[in-house]
């Protein structure tokens, strides 16, 4: 995912320079700070590749946490959300399955909240 790759590199630069997020995507990537901190010792290519994988599950979790309709359809088995990565160089899709957090999110009794990017002033 080229957008995530580019945003990850922007995020890493912002973290190294201790500057705030300049976009909603960078803001969402700030949630990945612990992963990025661990990965800062690796190459930019490896970091971005890992960020793409983390983002797949982060996006699934985001949908389940912030969409009552999707959450209920998944909970009742009417819809299944599977993660995947499309590899441009080969044209193949790597399927990753359900989010590791799916059962926890679905069994949570917490009320749905606005996404963090919509609550910033």
């Amino acid at each position: 995912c080229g957008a995530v790759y580019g945003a990850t590199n922007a995020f890493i630069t912002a973290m190294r320079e201790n500057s705030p997020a300049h976009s909603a995507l960078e803001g969402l990537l700030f949630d990945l700070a612990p992963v990025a901190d661990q990965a800062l010792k690796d190459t930019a290519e490896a970091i971005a590749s890992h960020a793409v994988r983390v983002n797949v599950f982060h996006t699934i979790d985001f949908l389940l946490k912030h969409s009552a309709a999707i959450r209920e359809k998944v909970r009742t088995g009417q819809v299944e959300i599977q993660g995947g990565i499309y590899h441009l160089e080969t044209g193949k899709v790597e399927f990753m399955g359900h989010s590791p957090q799916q059962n926890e999110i679905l069994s949570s009794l917490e009320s749905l909240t606005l996404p963090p990017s919509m609550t910033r002033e």
Side-chain angles (χ1 to χ4, degrees), residues 7 21-31 58 62 116-118 120:
H22 299 289
S23 69
L25 183 55
E26 282 181 23
L28 289 172
L29 283 170
F30 274 37
D31 291 340
H58 182 74
F62 183 90
S117 61
M118 295 180 69
R120 294 184 183 194

Side-chain angles (χ1 to χ4, degrees), residues 23-114:
S23 69
L25 183 55
E26 282 181 23
L28 289 172
L29 283 170
F30 274 37
D31 291 340
L32 304 175
V35 173
D37 286 341
Q38 278 183 323
L40 282 174
K41 298 174 185 102
D42 215 335
T43 66
E45 180 74 25
I47 292 169
S49 177
H50 182 70
V52 168
R53 292 177 183 289
V54 170
N55 185 59
V56 169
F57 292 128
H58 182 74
T59 301
I60 292 171
D61 295 347
F62 183 90
L63 291 170
L64 293 172
K65 288 177 182 177
H66 302 293
S67 172
I70 291 173
R71 188 175 179 165
E72 186 57 27
K73 295 226 183 252
V74 171
R75 185 181 283 131
T76 61
Q78 294 175 308
V79 169
E80 222 179 88
I81 300 177
Q82 301 276 332
I85 298 172
Y86 175 71
H87 296 279
L88 290 171
E89 55 287 342
T90 64
K92 294 183 179 180
V93 176
E94 175 186 347
F95 291 100
M96 300 171 62
H98 298 285
S99 165
Q101 302 298 315
Q102 179 173 304
N103 290 337
E104 181 181 332
I105 294 168
L106 293 178
S107 65
S108 171
L109 298 176
E110 291 179 25
S111 60
L112 297 174
T113 60
L114 288 174

